[in-house]
């Protein structure tokens, strides 16, 4: 058996996916430029699984560096997480986002072509549903974007569709993640954002820890049951297992396929805060402020395609997601060092 290459494998979702792949018996090679993660994640995943992964500090812009990885290892498939992911930052720095995410992916695909590697599982996002589609989102709805980050996901999906037309033996599985939260239940791996978090759960975690004063809730006048935004939060380890199922699917089928990875349930900001309060045993100070530009009211998946074709279904509820997030936060107050 050849190996799998996990780009962005020391990042939040990638590191949990590596645990799932190692546990499933896959030989794992990790490539990351460490721009948004720490190499300590490799030691943590080895501690959890008692298995080794080979790590390369390599950028997707570095074609020779990537060739070296393919020379050193027989790579059967690439699980492609590497990319920049902050929506707001992408509006400020569009060139950096297009360069890193699109040009980096093109270079990776060119190296894969040189080495006849024809399977990719790609980290797409629910953001490709844009702001016009009704919920729940279905995979065959039209895709669109409202910011450069979202456009990188829409464009990379298109690039993969086009490759599958040109090369009938190529397999591209795009996974459209909804809102991944939580952490490995050992407390050894979790989300480790640089600076002040943008996303809800990492922000709430810092408030619970006493590092940030209070949560600002971005609007309570949406057309939702309690007025706050509704999202489909999915446990990162459930998501990780979805990648193993997607790879198995990709190894058996050629062509392009996209799957939603979500629970199919929506939770409001207040639902998340209450679940987190239960998990940490403290109350979370909060205030209602203006809506955040670019936010939509409701986003949740129709998760039936992944259930039917990948035999994958999310198992954890919001309470478990918050309990695991809190355990990681308490055990690693400064993140992974
Ligand atoms: P993350 O930032 O924790 O992980 C991304 C990893 O990629 C980091 O370790 C970073 O150092 C690395 N990286 C970035 N640019 C690179 C490059 N040019 N070369 C090599 N490595 C590079 O983010 P994450 O939350 O784990 O997200 C992983 C993927 O999933 C991303 O593509 C992201 O867009 C996508 N995604 C994330 C979410 C989310 O809410 N977290 C939602 C939908 C999709
Ligand atoms: N929220 C707050 N206060 C905060 C942070 C968030 O009230 O400090 C609210 C938001 O308004 C939203 C909800 O919490 O209603 C979730 O916000 P997140 O920032 O955690 O997540 P988003 O749904 O906005 O964004 C996520 C990913 C994006 C991706 C998008 C669509 O971070 O990368 O899902 O898939 F594009």
């Amino acid at each position: 058996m050849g190996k799998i290459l996990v780009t962005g494998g020391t990042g939040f979702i990638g590191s949990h996916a590596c645990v799932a792949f190692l546990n499933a018996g896959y030989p794992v090679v990790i490539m990351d430029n460490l721009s948004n993660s720490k190499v300590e994640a490799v030691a943590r995943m080895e501690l959890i699984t008692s298995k080794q992964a080979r790590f390369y500090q390599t950028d997707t812009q570095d074609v020779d560096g990537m060739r070296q990885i393919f020379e050193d290892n027989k790579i059967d498939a690439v699980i492609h997480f590497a990319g920049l992911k902050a929506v707001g930052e992408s509006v400020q720095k569009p060139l950096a986002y297009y360069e890193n995410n699109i040009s980096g992916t093109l270079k990776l695909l060119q190296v894969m072509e040189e080495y006849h590697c024809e399977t990719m599982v790609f980290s797409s996002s629910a953001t490709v549903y844009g702001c016009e589609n009704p919920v729940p989102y279905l995979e065959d709805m039209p895709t669109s974007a409202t910011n450069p980050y979202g456009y990188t996901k829409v464009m990379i999906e298109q690039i993969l569709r086009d490759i599958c037309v040109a090369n009938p033996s190529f397999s591209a599985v795009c996974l459209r993640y909804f809102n991944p939260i939580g952490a490995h239940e050992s407390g050894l791996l979790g989300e480790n954002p640089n600076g002040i978090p943008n996303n809800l759960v990492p922000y709430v975690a810092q408030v619970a820890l006493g590092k940030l004063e209070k949560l600002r809730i971005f609007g309570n006048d949406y057309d939702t049951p309690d007025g706050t935004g509704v999202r489909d939060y999915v446990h990162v380890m459930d998501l990780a297992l979805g990648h193993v199922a997607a790879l198995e699917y990709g190894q058996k089928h050629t062509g392009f396929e996209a799957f939603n990875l979500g629970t199919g349930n929506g939770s409001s900001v207040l639902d998340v805060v209450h679940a987190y309060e239960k998990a940490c045993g403290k109350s979370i100070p909060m205030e209602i402020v203006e809506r955040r530009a670019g936010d939509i009211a409701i986003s949740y998946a129709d998760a039936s395609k992944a259930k039917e074709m990948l035999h994958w279904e999310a198992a954890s509820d919001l309470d478990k997601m918050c309990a695991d997030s809190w355990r990681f936060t308490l055990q690693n107050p400064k993140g992974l060092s």
Side-chain angles (χ1 to χ4, degrees):
M1 176 162 72
K3 301 177 186 173
I4 59 164
L5 174 63
V6 182
T7 75
T10 45
F12 171 44
I13 306 170
S15 60
H16 291 81
C18 286
V19 166
F21 281 115
L22 289 167
N23 279 337
Y26 287 90
V28 171
V29 177
I30 298 171
M31 165 187 145
D32 200 295
N33 67 1
L34 301 180
S35 60
N36 198 36
S37 55
K38 297 276 164 39
V39 71
E40 175 66 17
V42 179
R44 298 287 177 98
M45 62 183 82
E46 289 177 351
L47 205 57
I48 292 169
T49 63
S50 304
K51 292 184 179 151
Q52 304 263 306
R54 187 162 181 186
F55 176 73
Y56 290 83
Q57 184 172 354
T58 304
D59 196 295
T60 52
Q61 302 293 339
D62 176 4
V63 170
D64 285 337
M66 289 193 286
R67 285 189 179 124
Q68 192 60 52
I69 296 173
F70 281 80
E71 285 292 327
D72 293 351
N73 306 278
K74 186 184 173 312
I75 304 291
D76 281 348
V78 175
I79 321 297
H80 183 33
F81 294 96
L84 300 175
K85 64 161 182 176
V87 173
E89 186 186 55
S90 81
V91 177
Q92 306 304 319
K93 301 179 180 170
L95 288 179
Y97 272 68
Y98 289 122
E99 172 82 11
N100 192 78
N101 292 7
I102 297 198
S103 148
T105 301
L106 288 175
K107 287 174 180 154
L108 171 63
L109 286 163
Q110 283 155 359
V111 174
M112 286 173 67
E113 188 176 67
E114 280 176 38
Y115 288 86
H116 310 293
C117 177
E118 297 181 316
T119 303
M120 177 178 272
V121 176
F122 172 62
S123 299
S124 188
S125 167
T127 196
V128 302
Y129 291 109
C131 51
E132 301 289 330
N133 288 306
V135 287
Y137 295 141
L138 275 162
E139 288 85 348
D140 57 6
M141 287 175 171
T143 58
S144 66
T146 52
N147 55 70
Y149 167 74
Y151 277 112
T152 69
K153 296 299 181 193
V154 171
M155 285 184 208
I156 293 167
E157 284 202 3
Q158 186 60 45
I159 291 165
L160 291 170
R161 272 194 188 90
D162 294 340
I163 291 175
C164 289
V165 171
N167 177 0
S169 49
F170 200 92
S171 171
V173 184
C174 289
L175 299 179
R176 296 176 179 167
Y177 312 149
F178 281 70
N179 287 58
I181 60 168
H184 190 266
E185 65 181 2
S186 63
L188 289 168
L189 275 179
E191 193 166 8
N192 204 11
N194 285 330
I196 296 177
N198 292 310
N199 296 117
L200 178 63
V201 169
Y203 199 101
V204 170
Q206 297 290 307
V207 174
L209 207 54
K211 283 195 172 174
L212 293 169
E213 193 197 340
K214 60 183 162 192
L215 171 69
R216 291 173 311 135
I217 296 183
F218 298 138
N220 68 347
D221 56 352
Y222 284 107
D223 186 13
T224 61
D226 65 23
T228 65
V230 167
R231 297 289 182 275
D232 185 340
Y233 296 93
V234 54
H235 195 293
V236 66
M237 276 313 296
D238 281 334
L239 209 61
L241 291 170
H243 290 73
V244 179
L247 177 61
E248 283 168 3
Y249 178 89
Q251 286 174 327
K252 287 193 204 119
H253 302 84
T254 56
F256 177 95
E257 210 65 64
F259 294 99
N260 290 338
L261 293 189
T263 63
N265 301 312
S267 304
S268 73
V269 177
L270 290 173
D271 291 335
V272 173
V273 172
H274 294 142
Y276 216 94
E277 286 178 328
K278 203 153 55 150
C280 70
K282 305 177 189 184
S283 73
I284 305 288
M286 56 186 159
E287 63 173 333
I288 308 292
V289 299
E290 289 292 286
R291 291 180 178 191
R292 182 170 66 178
D295 274 356
I296 52 175
I298 307 187
S299 158
Y300 63 92
D302 181 316
S304 51
K305 184 176 174 186
K307 185 174 177 186
E308 224 167 86
M309 292 173 63
L310 301 180
H311 313 294
W312 174 88
E313 201 174 358
S316 296
D317 63 14
L318 198 55
D319 286 342
K320 166 138 176 74
M321 299 184 218
C322 292
D324 288 343
S325 161
W326 179 236
R327 190 178 307 105
F328 173 76
T329 306
L330 263 187
Q331 291 182 24
N332 306 271
K334 294 183 177 152
L336 300 186
S337 44

